[in-house]
Amino acid sequence: MAMALFSPTFSFRISTSAPQRRRRRCFVQSSQATVAIEAPSSSTTDLLLQVKDLSAVIAESKQTILKGVNLTVRHGEVHAVMGKNGSGKSTFAKVLAGHPDYEVTGGSIMYKGLDLLEMEPEERAIAGLFMSFQSPVEIPGVSNIDFLNMAYNARRRKLGLPELGPIEFYGYVAPKLELVNMKTDFLNRNVNEGFSGGEKKRNEILQLAVLGAEFAILDEIDSGLDVDALQDVAKAVNGVLTSKNSVLMITHYLRLLEFIKPTYIHIMENGRIVKTGDISLAETLEREGYKAIS
């Protein structure tokens, strides 16, 4: 009998049998040409994520959302995805994380040399992929420290490392609270239960810091934050960035990108990435809106 926990940031399963793979549907490519605009290529040795011609539909309604997304991410890069509401940004993020509400109908995603589409959500998380959702769910009855300890030990098992007991883990996680400007009693609170918007976002980045994920997907972490909370969250994100991990941020606003400097900015429209550039793209959007890009 299997027990599964799916949360916006981590999915964990204990099972006595091998996980059942999702079947990938065959597809007929649209007659409309796919727009492929990528960051400049370099050596493949530092390649972390490569998305090619990714198409996806809503699983229940079969409505097509992604229509040929192309993206290359290398170690140490920060990518920002911007676009109008309904352009496919959040769907793209959820497809990367393996959310069951979406079905991939074409294309490929390679992550650290592995076929991401053949991996269950919890396998992706254990392999170092992390996602922060716009509205993190509450998990009543599960404390932050227990949740983090379980998730952290799942990654350590995957890496062939010994698990940490409660006392050892507390010694590991407590210093990371300073990174997100939170007190130690925060660890005893139930996951996101009764949290303010800023506390939820800080909690997401705490999870990222604890897990040490190689690839973090941050879906509108600036949403609903005042300036002080935004600065705290941005400082925490910058604190976990290294030359070995990468971040994909979804945002509508230039203000986040002034705190977390992007390597590339991508504009998404109608289910595709249609333009890639630097911070000047976001500055243009701030002044003139999307009419200047379309």
Side-chain angles (χ1 to χ4, degrees):
M1 182 175 180
M3 177 181 70
L5 168 66
F6 184 85
S7 80
T9 54
F10 191 82
S11 179
F12 182 72
R13 171 180 293 167
I14 300 173
S15 177
T16 56
S17 59
Q20 190 175 26
R21 304 290 183 184
R22 290 193 185 86
R23 289 184 297 175
R24 296 172 60 186
R25 293 177 53 193
C26 296
F27 75 107
V28 178
Q29 191 166 9
S30 169
S31 59
Q32 187 175 4
T34 298
V35 180
I37 305 175
E38 299 186 41
S41 61
S42 62
S43 170
T44 58
T45 58
D46 61 348
L47 189 63
L48 181 62
L49 179 85
Q50 189 161 43
V51 181
K52 290 186 176 180
D53 299 325
L54 181 66
S55 300
V57 300
I58 298 174
E60 185 174 344
S61 67
K62 306 305 179 186
Q63 177 186 354
T64 300
I65 304 297
L66 303 183
K67 304 175 182 179
V69 178
N70 291 273
L71 179 69
T72 298
V73 179
R74 293 178 171 80
H75 291 281
E77 293 181 342
V78 175
H79 291 246
V81 178
M82 306 182 75
K84 296 179 182 178
N85 290 331
S87 62
K89 303 183 302 299
S90 291
T91 296
F92 179 42
K94 291 176 181 178
V95 167
L96 290 176
H99 199 291
D101 285 354
Y102 301 92
E103 182 179 346
V104 173
T105 55
S108 63
I109 310 174
M110 298 301 294
Y111 170 67
K112 297 198 296 187
L114 303 173
D115 185 350
L116 198 70
L117 297 179
E118 291 298 324
M119 301 169 69
E120 294 295 317
E122 65 273 13
E123 294 175 306
R124 302 181 193 198
I126 291 172
L129 188 148
F130 174 94
M131 180 164 181
S132 167
F133 279 58
Q134 292 182 38
S135 301
V137 299
E138 298 180 2
I139 309 179
V142 179
S143 70
N144 265 311
I145 193 164
D146 288 343
F147 180 79
L148 290 170
N149 197 359
M150 179 185 69
Y152 182 69
N153 280 336
R155 281 218 73 196
R156 286 181 70 87
R157 286 195 299 272
K158 175 69 175 180
L159 298 172
L161 299 172
E163 298 183 27
L164 297 187
I167 296 176
E168 291 175 301
F169 182 72
Y170 179 82
Y172 168 74
V173 71
K176 298 187 181 298
L177 290 170
E178 184 178 350
L179 185 67
V180 293
N181 194 24
M182 304 201 83
K183 298 178 180 179
T184 54
D185 60 2
F186 173 76
L187 294 173
N188 296 320
R189 297 172 63 182
N190 291 339
V191 179
N192 292 324
E193 191 173 28
F195 285 17
S196 67
E199 286 176 327
K200 286 183 178 180
K201 299 302 172 70
R202 289 187 180 97
N203 196 28
E204 297 280 280
I205 305 307
L206 175 63
Q207 293 170 24
L208 171 59
V210 169
L211 294 174
E214 286 93 340
F215 184 57
I217 305 165
L218 308 179
D219 191 358
E220 296 194 27
I221 59 168
D222 52 339
S223 176
L225 299 184
D226 59 33
V227 174
D228 290 340
L230 176 63
Q231 288 179 334
D232 283 343
V233 170
K235 179 182 177 182
V237 172
N238 286 327
V240 300
L241 285 174
T242 71
S243 61
K244 296 298 183 182
N245 59 18
S246 300
V247 169
L248 178 69
M249 301 186 300
I250 295 172
T251 184
H252 285 285
Y253 305 110
L254 175 63
R255 65 174 190 166
L256 177 65
L257 306 179
E258 292 174 335
F259 293 117
I260 305 173
K261 303 297 184 183
T263 312
Y264 300 105
I265 292 178
H266 311 278
I267 306 300
M268 204 160 190
E269 183 177 303
N270 194 27
R272 294 182 175 89
I273 291 175
V274 297
K275 193 173 186 64
T276 292
D278 55 22
I279 191 67
S280 63
L281 266 182
E283 294 169 345
T284 299
L285 290 178
E286 187 79 3
R287 291 193 311 269
E288 304 177 40
Y290 284 99
K291 64 181 183 295
I293 302 296
S294 300

